[in-house]
């Protein structure tokens, strides 16, 4: 009888929050870390907490499958060179924070636990210095199980791959510009500097979009595909870039997205 009662209590406990997930992990930060979780589609904050020690466990109840952005932030007392003039001029009171963020597919039916980490061996000072460096390519890692989780991670790796290629291309341009300046060829240096000021160089943005479109078309019938498409399209130009993905979506999904996409349809 006691055994049966224990089973009933266990069942009721499990059913109390059938759609909950846990975000767990460890960060080498001695400062107080603020954790915020946002629905990447609506932008609504769905959870927040603080980490007083290196390890953390954040439970989120009543969560639906979808793309969420997890943001870790903590106070900093140093400004980037690009921030100094702005703060001197406008006198903002609060300094910006160090920020680590990661978009992830959360689905309690696939997994109840998502583990976050950064590169092994990285301490707080190294991490903070890296975050101040605009060309830093380090990333916040997350591991879990589930086909849709892995699919979204694979999609995210596409942008990461091209972003790193873009950083390397910009580094190469900087070296060429430096040599041109030394040789006195200021006109060529000026033209290359215009390329350097662009967000993307060497048509890498076009290559990124093509890779993302191909990936989504191959996986168009999966649960994350409509969410990813929705998150990518914010302007008419975005819609035009990813229209092949829209065309491949099922009629039911298109109907669901109608409110968002109708303004872009010509």
């Amino acid at each position: 009888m006691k055994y049966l009662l224990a089973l009933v209590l266990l069942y009721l406990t499990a059913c109390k929050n059938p759609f909950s997930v846990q975000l767990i992990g460890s960060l080498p930060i001695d400062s107080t870390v603020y954790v915020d979780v946002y629905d990447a589609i609506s932008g609504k904050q769905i959870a927040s907490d603080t980490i007083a020690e290196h390890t953390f466990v954040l439970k989120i109840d009543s969560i639906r499958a979808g793309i969420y952005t997890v943001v870790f932030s903590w106070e900093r007392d140093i400004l980037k060179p690009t921030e100094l003039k702005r703060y001197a001029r406008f006198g903002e009171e609060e300094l910006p924070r160090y920020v680590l963020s990661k978009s992830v597919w959360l689905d309690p039916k696939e997994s109840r636990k998502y583990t976050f980490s950064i590169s092994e061996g990285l301490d707080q000072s190294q991490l903070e210095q890296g975050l101040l460096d605009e060309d830093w390519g380090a990333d916040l890692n997350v591991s879990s199980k589930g086909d849709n989780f892995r699919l979204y991670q694979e999609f995210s790796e596409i942008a990461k791959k091209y972003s790193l290629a873009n950083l390397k291309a910009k580094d190469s341009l900087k070296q060429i510009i430096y040599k041109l300046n030394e040789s006195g060829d200021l006109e060529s240096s000026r033209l290359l500097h215009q390329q350097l000021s662009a967000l993307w160089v060497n048509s890498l943005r076009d290559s990124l979009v093509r890779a993302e479109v191909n990936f989504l078309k191959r996986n168009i019938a999966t649960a994350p595909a409509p969410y990813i498409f929705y998150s990518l399209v914010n302007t008419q130009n975005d819609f035009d870039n990813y229209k092949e993905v829209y065309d491949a979506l099922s009629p039911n999904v298109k109907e669901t997205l109608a409110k968002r996409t109708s303004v872009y349809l010509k």
Side-chain angles (χ1 to χ4, degrees):
M1 183 66 180
K2 289 183 179 180
Y3 179 71
L4 179 60
L5 180 60
L7 284 178
V8 171
L9 290 174
L10 181 63
Y11 174 78
L12 291 175
T13 301
C15 291
K16 187 176 181 180
N17 291 306
F19 303 115
S20 66
V21 298
Q22 283 187 333
L23 310 184
I24 67 173
S26 178
L27 296 175
I29 310 299
D30 293 326
S31 312
T32 298
V33 178
Y34 304 90
V35 188
D36 299 284
V37 183
Y38 299 90
D39 185 319
I41 302 301
S42 68
K44 181 181 178 181
Q45 184 186 60
I46 65 163
S48 63
D49 201 355
T50 56
I51 303 171
E53 299 179 357
H54 291 184
T55 58
F56 62 91
V57 177
L58 174 59
K59 184 179 180 182
I60 306 175
D61 294 324
S62 303
I63 187 172
R64 297 178 297 178
I67 303 171
Y68 295 86
T69 301
V70 184
V71 181
F72 299 89
S73 64
W74 62 99
E75 305 294 341
R76 63 179 166 104
D77 57 3
I78 186 172
L79 291 172
K80 299 177 184 179
T82 53
E83 296 169 335
L84 284 172
K85 290 183 179 179
R86 188 177 78 247
Y87 273 77
R89 181 177 179 182
F90 298 106
E92 285 122 333
E93 294 182 0
E94 292 187 6
L95 291 176
R97 295 177 177 178
Y98 294 106
V99 176
L100 278 172
S101 65
K102 184 75 172 181
S103 291
V104 60
W105 179 267
L106 300 180
D107 183 355
K109 293 182 180 179
E110 275 197 336
S111 177
R112 295 294 185 91
K113 187 179 294 185
Y114 297 81
T115 304
F116 290 79
S117 63
I118 60 172
S119 302
E120 188 175 352
L122 207 61
D123 62 25
Q124 181 171 350
S125 61
Q126 292 171 321
L127 177 59
E128 291 177 347
Q129 183 57 48
L131 291 173
L132 290 174
D133 183 357
E134 295 179 356
D135 292 338
W136 192 51
D139 194 16
L140 181 64
N141 303 311
V142 59
S143 60
S144 190
K145 61 182 181 180
D147 291 339
N148 290 328
F149 168 81
R150 286 189 290 270
L151 181 77
Y152 185 75
Q153 291 301 104
E154 187 178 345
F155 174 81
S156 299
E157 286 297 313
I158 298 174
K160 182 179 177 181
K161 170 187 172 183
Y162 280 93
S163 294
L164 290 175
N166 193 52
L167 287 176
K168 291 180 180 179
K170 285 195 169 187
D171 284 341
S172 297
L173 276 179
K174 288 177 183 177
Q175 293 176 18
I176 296 172
I177 290 171
Y178 179 76
K179 291 179 180 178
L180 289 172
N181 288 337
E182 279 192 325
S183 67
D185 191 351
L186 300 182
E187 179 60 21
S188 297
S189 173
R190 184 185 66 81
L191 292 174
L192 283 181
H193 202 275
Q194 290 178 352
Q195 293 184 39
L196 188 63
S197 63
L199 186 60
W200 291 85
V201 298
N202 296 345
S203 301
L204 284 171
R205 171 62 180 170
D206 294 337
S207 299
L208 166 62
V209 170
R210 185 71 258 162
E212 290 179 331
V213 167
N214 290 340
F215 180 91
L216 290 172
K217 287 173 67 177
R218 288 196 306 271
N219 298 282
I220 200 65
T222 63
Y227 288 84
I228 296 172
F229 171 78
Y230 190 96
S231 68
L232 290 170
V233 175
N234 296 291
T235 66
Q236 181 68 55
N237 186 58
D238 291 337
F239 183 81
D240 294 341
N241 284 336
Y242 295 97
K243 189 173 184 302
E244 288 181 44
V245 179
Y246 175 81
D247 291 339
L249 293 169
S250 70
N252 288 340
V253 172
K254 287 180 181 177
E255 185 177 350
T256 303
L257 296 175
K259 186 176 181 180
R260 176 67 173 266
T261 58
S262 60
V263 68
Y264 304 128
L265 293 170
K266 299 176 181 178

